[in-house]
Amino acid sequence: MSQVSKACCSIPPVKTDYQPKGSMEKVAGFDSYVVGPADSKNVLVCVYDIFGFWDTTKQCADLLSESMKIKVVMPDLLCGKPWPLTSFPPSNEEESKKFQEWFSTVASVPDAKKDVEAVAQELKKNGAEKLGLYGLCWGGKITSLAGYEGTLFSGVAIVHPAMVNGEDSKGLTVPVAFFPSKDEPRDESDKYWENFQKSHPELVEKSTYHYYDNMFHGFGAARANLKDEANRVAAEDLYNRLANFFCGVF
């Protein structure tokens, strides 16, 4: 497994009470959280989790932007209809049915992948030279699939992904950073990395894998509790790994 570099980028300390620094703009028709230099030639795109915009997720974007001196764009792919954090996991059969319906419509992975590609096309059209993509939970699955043949992204990073499938990495055509948590199946997570190494040996040097075996699904996004010291330390480590991966890609 690759180790995080200390030479390239180092993010500022993660804060427990945070006020986001970015603003809302339209990107490819989507309301988007945007932070960083408007004329940045390197741009990161973030696919948030099913809970939508969240201060923890925005802090990650802000820290990546600050440390790397680039623009980060987080489009509202759920179009104002995130799944309520208070309703996860679904507590009864009726809620489970509603969640599955929402997941197949509002949060459709194939549709979201197309939307991410539209955002990438718009950013390229507006002058971006290199694009990176990182996704959290639900967004991690989308991000993995968005790194296939024909991708406009120079690298993809997948954080505590939903629906881990060890076969997904075979289709990647760009470097990958893969950061599952203890709630993702270890066998499938290891298989994802092993298949990537076998299928794309030429991309391994710029890629990285770290399994957070002491952290829960969502520790770096909406479900994070940064007032918990272990969670805060892990989130800071995660964000540093993301920054260093994309420094290497760009």
Side-chain angles (χ1 to χ4, degrees):
M1 298 181 194
S2 301
Q3 299 298 317
V4 63
S5 166
K6 296 181 180 179
C8 181
C9 302
S10 182
I11 66 163
V14 170
K15 298 179 180 179
T16 56
D17 296 304
Y18 189 73
Q19 183 65 40
K21 300 177 181 178
S23 60
M24 298 301 295
E25 300 178 16
K26 285 284 188 181
V27 180
F30 292 97
D31 292 328
S32 304
Y33 178 79
V34 179
V35 63
D39 60 350
S40 178
K41 296 301 181 183
N42 296 335
V43 181
L44 280 180
V45 178
C46 171
V47 186
Y48 53 32
D49 58 28
I50 62 171
F51 308 113
F53 293 123
W54 208 262
D55 282 355
T56 310
T57 313
K58 291 179 179 178
Q59 181 173 187
C60 177
D62 291 357
L63 292 173
L64 290 173
S65 173
E66 183 177 351
S67 65
M68 297 177 66
K69 313 302 180 190
I70 63 171
K71 180 161 69 175
V72 181
V73 176
M74 189 188 308
D76 186 15
L77 301 181
L78 297 175
C79 300
K81 298 177 181 179
W83 187 259
L85 185 58
T86 53
S87 297
F88 188 85
S91 59
N92 54 53
E93 187 175 343
E94 183 179 356
E95 273 197 6
S96 295
K97 184 179 180 181
K98 288 180 180 178
F99 181 68
Q100 291 304 320
E101 290 175 352
W102 176 87
F103 209 87
S104 64
T105 54
V106 175
S108 163
V109 168
D111 289 347
K113 178 179 176 289
K114 292 178 183 177
D115 292 338
V116 166
E117 291 166 348
V119 169
Q121 290 169 359
E122 172 107 341
L123 291 171
K124 283 280 191 177
K125 179 181 177 182
N126 291 338
E129 294 178 0
K130 285 191 175 182
L131 300 176
L133 178 67
Y134 70 100
L136 310 152
C137 309
W138 168 78
K141 180 71 172 185
I142 295 159
T143 295
S144 184
L145 299 176
Y148 283 18
E149 186 175 357
T151 184
L152 293 178
F153 297 101
S154 298
V156 295
I158 299 152
V159 179
H160 41 60
M163 302 168 284
V164 178
N165 186 332
E167 300 296 312
D168 283 353
S169 62
K170 292 180 178 180
L172 290 170
T173 58
V174 293
V176 63
F178 187 50
F179 302 132
S181 75
K182 67 177 183 179
D183 291 330
E184 281 73 70
R186 184 66 189 253
D187 57 345
E188 284 297 316
S189 296
D190 286 347
K191 186 178 177 183
Y192 185 99
W193 179 245
E194 290 165 4
N195 282 336
F196 176 77
Q197 291 178 299
K198 292 175 182 177
S199 302
H200 310 286
E202 75 284 1
L203 300 176
V204 171
E205 185 177 353
K206 287 190 174 183
S207 300
T208 183
Y209 171 40
H210 182 75
Y211 189 87
Y212 285 88
D213 57 8
N214 66 332
M215 277 292 117
F216 57 93
H217 179 84
F219 77 92
R223 299 179 72 201
N225 174 17
L226 297 180
K227 292 183 179 180
D228 176 82
E229 181 65 6
N231 192 161
R232 187 195 63 76
V233 169
E236 197 165 284
D237 179 79
L238 168 65
Y239 302 161
N240 268 303
R241 289 177 187 273
L242 284 171
N244 280 281
F245 168 70
F246 283 116
C247 278
V249 167
F250 289 152

